[in-house]
Amino acid sequence: MSFVSDLSHTGIMSSEPVHIVGAGLAGSEAAWQLAEAGVPVVLHEMRPLVQTAAHQTDGFAELVCSNSFRSDDARNNAVGLLHEEMRRAGSLIMQMGDANQVPAGGALAVDRIGFSDAVSERLRAHPLIAIEIGPVESLPPEEWGQVIIATGPLTSPALAESIRALSGEDQLAFFDAIAPIVHRESIDMDKAWFQSRYDKPGPGGTGADYINCPLDREQYEAFVDALMQAETADFREWEKDTPYFDSCLPIEIMAVRGRETLRHGPMKPVGLTNPHAPDVKSHAIIQLRQDNALGTLYNMVGFQTKMKYGEQIAILRRIPGLESAEFARLGGMHRNTFLNSPRLLDGTLRLKAAPHIRFAGQITGCEGYVESAATGLMAARFCIADRIGAAPASPPQTTAHGA
């Protein structure tokens, strides 16, 4: 069974549903793939009855961190290739991402509310998908038949403990972070300017898709000093040994790791020219990416933080152009839980200790929105193969999915 074949006319139609726990990116994609192949689905979602530390709505496939699906370049970037493979496989996440894109240079970024609403609407309207709101607090029994657990890194404590008890593994976890979002009208465009890095237009873009705020050397050094002295939110006792996720470090942790770290990370000044001072090279530049279709909200790219809210406002307003910034959302931290997948899961994402259960999404240890959705797509395809009595076909290792 090809991973890029059209499954919409397989005619499986069975009265036995596949239960999916979690309506995030992976669970939503899995539900769509199964239903489009004629397999009934019961999609379990605990929100809004039970909320998490990071979610803000009751929508499916809510993006809690960035609004970017990263590079859309299928020829030169691995994530871009994954985008293209998923489009060919009829991915709901990619369909709705494309339909709700906002300008972001060479990346595919989306209006987070419009995207979630669109995914929710399509799933709720599908005749083969039944939605059940409420927490699943233990591993599903064998009587449920095929199950996909796609509860993400913010799995409820009761279910996480149930998984841990069955697997015999200690919980694995790391800290992830959220970047602030700024109201566009509060940004001083006499100091900031619109430009994509190297003027790259990308999907739906113009080459002038980001707002850029420049710092000279003195301003940068003062900003780093302020970060290193900032008061941050305290960890609970049981969180103190949890590591950070290195691809999403808080800016104050980056500052502590070296004074030049930020200048070679989210504040790198390359590929940009300040039209207010074209002959002066900026020492550092902060970029903000459009966060909604209206263009009224902008996300501070790579500026995740665990500083206390008062400190965030005071320090971020040191940035030229953001002196009067008003924030729609401030940054924060949340603890993510994941499985030791190479040990606990087989090659088709089944839990070795309970083969009727598959896992998908970030709880498997994968990173990124699109990668999470891709594991949901694969888990669904493996379930479909089981349903028709075929051997599950793993994607070739020469593909992004296989890699």
Side-chain angles (χ1 to χ4, degrees):
M1 182 178 65
S2 169
F3 265 75
V4 296
S5 62
D6 178 13
L7 293 182
S8 59
H9 302 292
T10 54
I12 294 173
M13 290 303 295
S14 165
S15 60
E16 294 297 321
V18 173
H19 289 260
I20 299 176
V21 185
L25 289 149
S28 294
E29 183 64 55
W32 181 257
Q33 293 284 328
L34 286 160
E36 286 292 277
V39 179
V41 172
V42 178
L43 181 58
H44 301 263
E45 173 55 50
M46 68 180 183
R47 294 178 296 115
L49 292 182
V50 179
Q51 278 293 1
T52 74
H55 289 86
Q56 297 183 336
T57 76
D58 60 357
F60 300 158
E62 179 183 343
L63 307 181
V64 299
C65 295
S66 166
N67 69 321
S68 175
F69 288 0
R70 310 203 313 281
S71 174
D72 201 47
D73 183 351
R75 290 186 174 275
N76 301 297
N77 186 279
V79 178
L81 178 59
L82 191 59
H83 288 184
E84 179 59 25
E85 291 178 8
M86 292 179 69
R87 289 184 178 112
R88 295 187 185 188
S91 164
L92 176 66
I93 294 304
M94 291 308 302
Q95 288 177 38
M96 297 303 98
D98 290 336
N100 290 276
Q101 70 176 24
V102 296
L108 173 62
V110 304
D111 178 321
R112 68 177 71 230
I113 299 299
F115 168 76
S116 176
D117 287 348
V119 172
S120 302
E121 182 179 341
R122 294 292 290 275
L123 293 178
R124 289 186 172 116
H126 202 293
L128 291 182
I129 298 176
I131 310 296
E132 291 200 4
I133 301 299
V136 174
E137 297 185 333
S138 61
L139 281 174
E142 287 193 34
E143 296 79 66
W144 276 23
Q146 288 181 310
V147 175
I148 297 174
I149 295 179
T151 47
L154 299 170
T155 298
S156 68
L159 179 56
E161 174 58 26
S162 179
I163 296 168
R164 188 206 63 76
L166 179 63
S167 67
E169 289 279 317
D170 290 334
Q171 265 189 5
L172 300 175
F174 61 86
F175 277 110
D176 206 352
I178 297 171
I181 295 175
V182 181
H183 287 282
R184 160 70 178 84
E185 62 183 12
S186 69
I187 301 172
D188 183 357
M189 297 306 294
D190 288 334
K191 296 179 180 178
W193 75 96
F194 278 100
Q195 186 185 6
S196 300
R197 205 176 295 280
Y198 300 109
D199 302 306
K200 189 172 183 179
T206 65
D209 303 326
Y210 291 77
I211 293 177
N212 302 277
C213 298
L215 292 84
D216 60 27
R217 180 184 292 274
E218 184 178 351
Q219 290 167 331
Y220 175 78
E221 294 294 340
F223 184 73
V224 170
D225 287 339
L227 288 178
M228 295 175 69
Q229 297 166 15
E231 188 176 3
T232 58
D234 294 328
F235 289 134
R236 299 177 183 90
E237 186 63 34
W238 53 271
E239 295 176 324
K240 289 182 178 178
D241 293 330
T242 301
Y244 289 107
F245 179 41
D246 276 355
S247 294
C248 199
L249 287 173
I251 53 173
E252 59 274 12
I253 299 300
M254 285 190 257
V256 169
R257 292 191 175 185
R259 298 191 69 85
E260 290 291 289
T261 302
L262 284 164
R263 232 172 57 80
H264 291 274
M267 297 178 73
K268 57 181 176 288
V270 300
L272 300 163
T273 300
N274 183 355
H276 305 303
D279 297 327
V280 178
K281 180 171 175 57
S282 300
H283 190 69
I285 294 174
I286 291 164
Q287 289 197 303
L288 295 92
R289 178 181 55 239
Q290 188 173 328
D291 201 77
N292 65 345
L294 292 175
T296 58
L297 300 175
Y298 274 75
N299 189 299
M300 299 186 70
V301 179
F303 255 56
Q304 51 277 350
T305 176
K306 68 183 287 277
M307 290 186 289
K308 291 189 174 180
Y309 286 170
E311 294 277 69
Q312 285 188 49
I313 294 170
I315 292 173
L316 295 178
R317 283 180 176 168
R318 288 172 170 261
I319 298 168
L322 301 185
E323 292 92 343
S324 300
E326 295 295 334
F327 296 92
R329 181 188 76 183
L330 288 165
M333 296 287 296
H334 52 272
R335 188 176 188 268
N336 288 353
T337 299
F338 62 97
L339 299 172
N340 185 353
S341 292
R343 177 168 176 164
L344 299 179
L345 306 183
D346 70 10
T348 66
L349 301 174
R350 293 185 304 180
L351 185 63
K352 294 175 184 177
H356 68 292
I357 296 173
R358 282 187 166 90
F359 283 84
Q362 280 190 289
I363 194 171
T364 66
C366 72
E367 184 274 323
Y369 293 142
V370 181
E371 294 88 337
S372 295
T375 62
L377 187 154
M378 288 192 288
R381 298 286 176 116
F382 292 143
C383 283
I384 293 166
D386 289 347
R387 184 61 59 96
I388 63 176
S394 295
Q397 291 185 3
T398 51
T399 65
H401 278 82

